[in-house]
Amino acid sequence: MRLAPARGLRTRLVVAFLLVAALSALITATLTFRQARHAILQRTQSAAVHDLRLQVDSLAPNLPAAPTDDDLRGFSQQLDRVGGARGWNTSVSRGEGPGLGSAGPVEASLRAAAHKGNVTVSERTEHAGVPHLLIAMPVDFAAQGSTTPRPSGLIVYAALALRTEQADISALITAAWAGAVPALALATAGALFAARRVLRPVRQLRTAAEKITSGALDTRLDVTGKDELAELTGTFNTMATALERDDAELRRMEANARRFAADVSHELRTPLAAMSAVTDALDEDAHSGHLPPDTADAVLLISDETRKLARMVEDLMEISRFDAGAAALHLDDVGLRTLLRKTLALRGWHEPDQVVTRLPQAAARPSDGPAPESQAQDDIRVRVDARRIDVVLANLIANALRHGAPPVTVTARVTRHSLVIDVADQGPGIPEDALPHVFDRFSKADAARTRSEGSGLGLAIARENVRLHGGSLTAANLPDAGAVFTIELPLAPMREDAS
Amino acid sequence: MRRHLIGCLTAVAAVVVTGCGVGTTGPTPAGPPASGLRVPGGEDHYAQLYFVGPFGVQAVARRVPAPAGPQRALDLLLEGPDAAERARGLITEVSTMPGRPTATAGAGSVDLYLPLPVARMNGGGLGVTQLVCTVANAAIPGGKQPPAVDVRVHEKGTPGVWTVRCNAAGTVFPVPEASSSGP
C-alpha cells in the first residue's frame, strides 16, 4: 500500500496545512482533555474522601467500644444518609470480615491495600459501563494523649457512581470535536489562500513563457511584492527583454544580408545580359571556323561560364523574391502527365533510359512505355502553379541525374488529401551527416567537390516553391541504395496568392 | 520513513482511543485513615448532646478532655452542631433566649434553670427535649443511669417546678409526683 504522491502544488499545500492543523488540534485537545479530566476526577475524589473522613471522624465516637454487627449496620446507614447528593453506598467490615452495609462486595486488592498500609485507598472501576469510585478508609481508635492512634481493624468502604463526571468528560470530548472541525476548515481556507498567493504568479509566469514561445517577445509581467516570486518575475522580464533585443538584431542582420544579395544579383543582371548577347555572337563565330582553334575554345569556355553565371544570378533573384515574400502563386488546372512530359522534353531528358515515370491511371498500362496521345482523359488534373512545379521537378531530376545515377524514377500517387511525388535515383544516396542540410543554400553534399555544375540553389528554390503551394519537400535515403525526394502537395484548398 | 509515520499514527490513535472516558485505576493512596473509635476500657470522656435530625432527636457523642457536668454539656449544646453534624442534617431547635440557661447537678438529679417560660420558647417541645436529655446524660454524681436521672425544670417568671426524665430513645416524659420527692 503506497500513498499516491499529491499532484499539484495546491493539493500538497492543502494536505500539509491540514495535517499540521489536525496534529496541532489533536495534541492541544489531548493535553487539555487529559488535564481537565484529571482535575475533574481529582476534585471529585478529594471531596469524597474529605467528606467521608469528616463523617467517620464525627460518627465514630457514637459507636460503643465493642460495637455489635447491628451497631455497625446503623453506622453504615447513618453514613449512607450523609451521602446526600453524592449518593454513595457504604459498608463497614472488621478487618477481613464481610462488609456490613449497602455497598457491594469489595475487591480484595483494595481491601488488602487499605488493611496492610492502614491508609485510605481509592480506586476507579467500571460496573456495567458506569465508572465508580471506591474508597476504603480504615478507622483508628481515638488518640490517647500524645501517642499516635492505634488501628482498630475497622474499615469503612464507600462506592459512588461517577455519572456526573462521565457526562462532564463526554462534554469535553464533544467540545474538542466542535473546536477541531472549524480549526480544520480554517486551515483549509488558509491553505487555499496561500496556494492562491503562490500559484497565481506561477501561472502568470507560465502563460507569459508560453506567449514568448509562440513569438510574442514583447510579453512582460507586473512585478508585485518583494518575495522570491517577484524576483523571479523580474528576472523573467529581463530575460524577455534580452531575447527581444537579440531577436530584433538578428532579424535586422538577416534582412540586411538578404537585401544585399538581392541588390547584388539585380545589379549583376544588366551587365550579364549584355555579356550573354556578346558571347552568343562570339559562339556563332567560334562554331563558324573563322577563328583560330585556340581562340575558338577560349570563346566557347567564356560563353559557357557566362551562361552559368546568368543562371546563378537568376536563381539568386528567385530566392530573393521568396525572401522578400514577393513570390506570387498562379494556380491553374493542369494535367500531371502533361506537366511532367513538358518538363522532360524541355530539358532534353529521355524516357526511359534517363527518367522513368510511374503515374497513377485508371487503365492498367505499362507506366514506362510510350503513352499515346489519347491519354488526356486519363491524366490527373491538379491545381498548381505549372511554372513553379516545373522548376521543382526539373531541379530535383537534374539533382538526381547529377549526383545519383540514372535512371531516375518519378512516382506520383494521390492520397486522400494530397498529391505525393517521389523522385528517386540509383546513386549512392546522400551521406547521413549531409541529409539535414541538403536544402540549405549553397550546401555541398560532397565537400571535396569544389566546383558544381549547378548554382547550389536548386534544392532551396524547389523547397520554397513547394512551400508556396502549402506543401512539403523532404529528402531521405532508400533502404537499398539511392536518394529519394518526396514532394507532398495538398489537394484541397490552396492559397491563391502567397504574397 | 513510512514505518515512522505508521508508528506515529498508531501512537496517536492509541492515545485517542484509550484517552476518552473516565478510565480505571488500581488502588491508590488517598490520605490518612479516619479515627475516633472508642478505645475499649479507655479513659476517654464523652459528652452526649442531643440535636434534631430528619428522624427526630438524635444523640451525638463529643469527646471532651474531662468529665462534662450538666453545665458544660449545656454550653456545648448551645454552641450548636459542628460542620460534620450539620452535614448529616442535624440542627438545634433550642431558641435564642434572653439569658443563658444554667444547670446544677445534685445527687442523681439536675436542676435546669430556663431564662424564659417554656411556653414562650420557639420550637417548643423539641428544644426542651434537647436541653433535658443533654443535661440528664451529663456526668451526674450518684451513680444513676441517665434514664433514671430526674431533671427539675425551673422556668423564670413562673412559679413551681416540674420534674421530667429522658429515656434511652431520647423522649422526655414527666415523673410521677410520688417518686419526685426522692431522697
Side-chain angles (χ1 to χ4, degrees):
Chain A
M1 186 196 79
R2 182 172 170 79
L3 296 175
R7 292 265 166 104
L9 204 54
R10 181 199 304 270
T11 320
R12 277 193 270 172
L13 272 173
V14 170
V15 167
F17 261 71
L18 278 183
L19 274 181
V20 169
L23 204 59
S24 316
L26 189 66
I27 290 172
T28 310
T30 306
L31 292 180
T32 312
F33 168 76
R34 293 177 77 84
Q35 197 59 40
R37 181 181 66 173
H38 179 75
I40 289 173
L41 293 174
Q42 196 60 44
R43 182 181 307 163
T44 303
Q45 178 180 318
S46 303
V49 169
H50 174 265
D51 288 358
L52 186 65
R53 182 178 291 119
L54 187 72
Q55 292 308 324
V56 172
D57 281 347
S58 168
L59 283 171
N62 290 2
L63 281 175
T68 62
D69 283 1
D70 283 340
D71 288 335
L72 293 181
R73 276 197 198 90
F75 183 73
S76 168
Q77 272 172 14
Q78 278 185 297
L79 278 177
D80 280 356
R81 274 181 218 140
V82 181
R86 215 176 283 289
W88 62 34
N89 289 313
T90 60
S91 65
V92 188
S93 73
R94 293 191 188 87
E96 303 289 321
L100 306 167
S102 59
V106 179
E107 284 172 40
S109 60
L110 186 68
R111 180 193 296 246
H115 192 63
K116 189 178 163 203
N118 195 43
V119 288
T120 304
V121 176
S122 71
E123 183 184 35
R124 276 205 307 275
T125 59
E126 200 166 300
H127 289 304
V130 181
H132 281 78
L133 178 67
L134 303 181
I135 304 169
M137 184 176 283
V139 191
D140 287 350
F141 286 118
Q144 299 293 305
S146 61
T147 60
T148 51
R150 282 190 297 120
S152 66
L154 214 62
I155 300 181
V156 175
Y157 300 99
L160 59 157
L162 298 173
R163 283 200 187 81
T164 320
E165 288 72 17
Q166 193 181 28
D168 288 350
I169 287 165
S170 298
L172 278 180
I173 295 171
T174 312
W177 276 116
V181 171
L184 290 185
L186 273 179
T188 311
L192 287 176
F193 182 69
R196 214 174 98 94
R197 287 288 301 264
V198 173
L199 287 181
R200 195 171 45 186
V202 170
R203 202 163 43 232
Q204 283 175 347
L205 275 173
R206 201 184 76 185
T207 313
E210 280 170 354
K211 274 189 191 168
I212 284 191
T213 308
S214 63
L217 290 179
D218 57 343
T219 307
R220 297 291 182 276
L221 288 173
D222 292 336
V223 181
T224 53
K226 287 184 180 292
D227 56 2
E228 287 82 352
L229 283 168
E231 286 173 15
L232 177 61
T233 310
T235 312
F236 177 88
N237 284 343
T238 313
M239 182 198 75
T241 308
L243 209 58
E244 192 180 19
R245 197 178 54 229
D246 291 355
D247 181 71
E249 179 71 13
L250 281 174
R251 280 180 196 279
R252 195 180 57 77
M253 287 167 66
E254 192 181 352
N256 280 349
R258 289 187 174 179
R259 199 179 309 122
F260 179 73
D263 290 349
V264 166
S265 48
H266 192 77
E267 292 299 325
L268 285 178
R269 201 161 71 150
T270 315
L272 270 177
M275 284 168 69
S276 290
V278 173
T279 51
D280 282 350
L282 286 174
D283 267 2
E284 287 176 16
D285 288 348
H287 287 302
S288 64
H290 296 307
L291 298 177
D294 287 354
T295 313
D297 285 350
V299 165
L300 285 177
L301 184 65
I302 288 175
S303 68
D304 193 34
E305 292 296 324
T306 306
R307 269 193 298 277
K308 274 189 193 169
L309 189 57
R311 201 164 64 235
M312 187 183 290
V313 168
E314 285 299 325
D315 284 354
L316 266 176
M317 291 189 64
E318 180 80 9
I319 279 283
S320 298
R321 273 195 289 276
F322 280 118
D323 288 345
L329 196 62
H330 301 288
L331 293 178
D332 206 355
D333 275 333
V334 291
L336 185 59
R337 178 176 300 279
T338 316
L339 181 65
L340 184 54
R341 210 156 289 279
K342 270 187 188 169
T343 301
L344 296 183
L346 214 60
R347 305 303 191 286
W349 290 322
H350 301 293
E351 282 190 274
D353 50 342
Q354 280 183 301
V355 179
V356 178
T357 57
R358 292 193 184 123
L359 302 183
Q361 298 173 1
R365 193 196 308 268
S367 58
D368 51 351
E373 289 299 316
S374 65
Q375 59 148 33
Q377 57 265 43
D378 295 338
D379 206 353
I380 303 170
R381 308 297 294 182
V382 288
R383 188 166 175 77
V384 293
D385 187 327
R387 185 185 74 80
R388 295 191 182 280
I389 293 303
D390 169 66
V391 168
V392 171
L393 287 172
N395 283 347
L396 289 181
I397 294 170
N399 186 68
L401 287 172
R402 199 178 301 133
H403 299 299
V408 174
T409 313
V410 179
T411 313
R413 61 183 189 277
V414 178
T415 67
R416 202 162 157 187
H417 301 294
S418 56
L419 167 67
V420 181
I421 304 172
D422 288 338
V423 179
D425 65 45
Q426 306 289 320
I430 307 165
E432 282 297 324
D433 54 344
L435 205 50
H437 309 294
V438 289
F439 295 109
D440 290 355
R441 294 165 191 186
F442 300 113
S443 81
K444 296 278 195 293
D446 184 358
R449 195 176 60 226
T450 52
R451 181 132 168 77
S452 163
E453 301 249 338
S455 64
L457 291 169
L459 289 179
I461 289 174
R463 170 171 260 194
E464 293 293 345
N465 275 314
V466 174
R467 274 189 186 158
L468 202 56
H469 283 83
S472 67
L473 176 58
T474 54
N477 281 320
L478 289 171
D480 39 2
V484 59
F485 288 84
T486 305
I487 307 163
E488 188 169 357
L489 294 174
L491 286 178
M494 208 177 290
R495 290 175 300 169
E496 279 293 320
D497 198 335
S499 54
Chain B
M1 174 67 198
R2 187 150 32 113
R3 195 178 303 164
H4 288 178
L5 190 67
I6 290 175
C8 285
L9 288 180
T10 311
V12 169
V15 167
V16 170
V17 168
T18 61
C20 297
V22 172
T24 59
T25 65
T28 49
S35 66
L37 282 181
R38 295 188 190 207
V39 183
E43 309 270 312
D44 291 327
H45 307 286
Y46 293 89
Q48 190 144 333
L49 312 180
Y50 283 77
F51 290 109
V52 179
F55 303 95
V57 176
Q58 256 181 284
V60 168
R62 291 257 187 98
R63 199 175 171 213
V64 286
Q71 186 60 50
R72 173 80 184 125
L74 207 52
D75 290 346
L76 285 173
L77 176 71
L78 290 174
E79 284 170 18
D82 62 15
E85 289 153 0
R86 281 199 299 276
R88 287 206 293 280
L90 298 184
I91 55 171
T92 179
E93 295 258 318
V94 178
S95 62
T96 47
M97 290 177 268
R100 287 189 75 80
T102 55
T104 324
S109 67
V110 180
D111 287 296
L112 176 63
Y113 298 93
L114 298 176
L116 79 170
V118 169
R120 286 175 51 197
M121 286 173 69
N122 295 333
L126 287 180
V128 176
T129 304
Q130 282 179 264
L131 293 168
V132 170
C133 287
T134 300
V135 296
N137 282 273
I140 308 289
K144 277 193 178 177
Q145 286 297 306
V149 171
D150 289 338
V151 179
R152 288 192 290 274
V153 180
H154 305 262
E155 296 173 87
K156 189 176 184 182
T158 306
V161 174
W162 40 281
T163 306
V164 291
R165 286 180 183 172
C166 173
N167 70 3
T171 308
V172 172
F173 59 93
V175 179
E177 280 304 316
S179 60
S180 73
S181 55

